[in-house]
Amino acid sequence: MSLSLLLIPYALVVAIFIIFTLINIYHIANSAAMTAVSFTVTFFILALGVLTIYGTWYLLQNVDWGQPLLYAYS
């Protein structure tokens, strides 16, 4: 069991974020709620999401994902 197993929950959270973002954009377009406030809030949410994904990539780029998750002490 390697450390890369921890990427599965992270990928699920990112997928859920993308799904809700697409639902939000569809709802804005479908309900004709195209105001400056709705676009501003949507932009900030998207920007924070992109910054979070970039920050995660930047901080974890040197991690050896082949390391075992649990060490067996004997």
Side-chain angles (χ1 to χ4, degrees), residues 21-59:
T21 301
L22 292 174
I23 291 171
N24 181 29
I25 292 171
Y26 173 76
H27 181 265
I28 289 171
N30 191 30
S31 65
M34 297 181 194
T35 64
V37 174
S38 66
F39 282 121
T40 304
V41 170
T42 300
F43 172 76
F44 281 123
I45 296 298
L46 285 174
L48 286 174
V50 168
L51 284 173
T52 301
I53 291 170
Y54 174 76
T56 303
W57 170 78
Y58 181 75
L59 292 173

Side-chain angles (χ1 to χ4, degrees), residues 10-20:
Y10 181 74
L12 289 173
V13 169
V14 169
I16 290 170
F17 176 77
I18 291 171
I19 289 169
F20 276 111

